[in-house]
Amino acid sequence: TDSIDEKIKINDFCQTLIEQIDTMSNVATSFSDFATLPKTQLEKTDIVYKLITIVVANQKGGVGKTTTALNLAASLSAASRKVLLIDLDSQKNSTSASGIDNSNSQSSLLDALIENITIASLILKTDYKFDLIPASQDLISAEMELMNIDNPTSLLKEKLS
């Protein structure tokens, strides 16, 4: 019953999160709502959505980070939200659970962070209707690779923008 109770809790959490995202999105549907954007780039039919970033992190293992991230991605995409799941764990559990086998991949997220490879080239479509940037085992060495880079904590944010 613990497993059933946990699934109910996760389902309730995902539903609440979807409702909160709907509230936070503030869909702009009139031209006057675009005051901060150059009017030459907009038409009256344009709709702007806010980008919402959700991070699932904990240093302790076995607390459900992967399960939570996968359930959030699947739930949000099932609710017609555009989702990009980024697997930053060298164990690649989110990647494999999403049905992706990237063992033959030539590039990785680490390559995109430290070299001139675009993040967009790493994005894969899943059968669960969300996009995924898969993990790779080279993330084990990420901390060592990123030591010599200025402000490594903002590197992923910069590459995603």
Side-chain angles (χ1 to χ4, degrees), residues 79-94:
S80 300
R81 302 307 183 276
K82 191 168 183 172
V83 176
L84 173 63
L85 177 63
I86 303 174
D87 189 356
L88 289 171
D89 187 354
S90 60
Q91 292 179 2
K92 308 189 295 183
N93 290 332
S94 291

Side-chain angles (χ1 to χ4, degrees), residues 26-91:
N26 297 330
V27 177
T29 55
S30 71
F31 196 81
S32 62
D33 293 330
F34 299 106
T36 59
L37 300 173
K39 291 182 177 17
T40 56
Q41 296 179 4
L42 301 170
E43 296 179 15
K44 288 190 177 199
T45 58
D46 286 344
I47 296 176
V48 174
Y49 294 93
K50 286 184 181 178
L51 174 67
I52 298 171
T53 303
I54 300 170
V55 177
V56 180
N58 192 324
Q59 288 184 329
K60 186 177 178 192
V63 295
K65 299 178 295 286
T66 299
T67 302
T68 301
L70 285 166
N71 281 308
L72 280 171
S75 297
L76 290 169
S77 64
S80 300
R81 302 307 183 276
K82 191 168 183 172
V83 176
L84 173 63
L85 177 63
I86 303 174
D87 189 356
L88 289 171
D89 187 354
S90 60
Q91 292 179 2

Side-chain angles (χ1 to χ4, degrees), residues 87-106:
D87 189 356
L88 289 171
D89 187 354
S90 60
Q91 292 179 2
K92 308 189 295 183
N93 290 332
S94 291
T95 299
S96 59
S98 298
I100 302 295
D101 176 19
N102 71 326
S103 56
N104 298 331
S105 177
Q106 299 299 314

Side-chain angles (χ1 to χ4, degrees), residues 122-157:
L122 301 174
I123 298 174
L124 303 174
K125 300 279 185 202
T126 69
D127 292 337
Y128 303 101
K129 297 185 176 43
F130 60 84
D131 294 340
L132 172 77
I133 295 179
S136 62
Q137 288 188 332
D138 67 352
L139 287 171
I140 294 169
S141 63
E143 189 172 343
M144 297 295 287
E145 296 278 347
L146 297 173
M147 258 185 358
N148 299 323
I149 295 176
D150 291 334
N151 203 9
T153 55
S154 66
L155 202 52
L156 181 59
K157 182 179 179 180

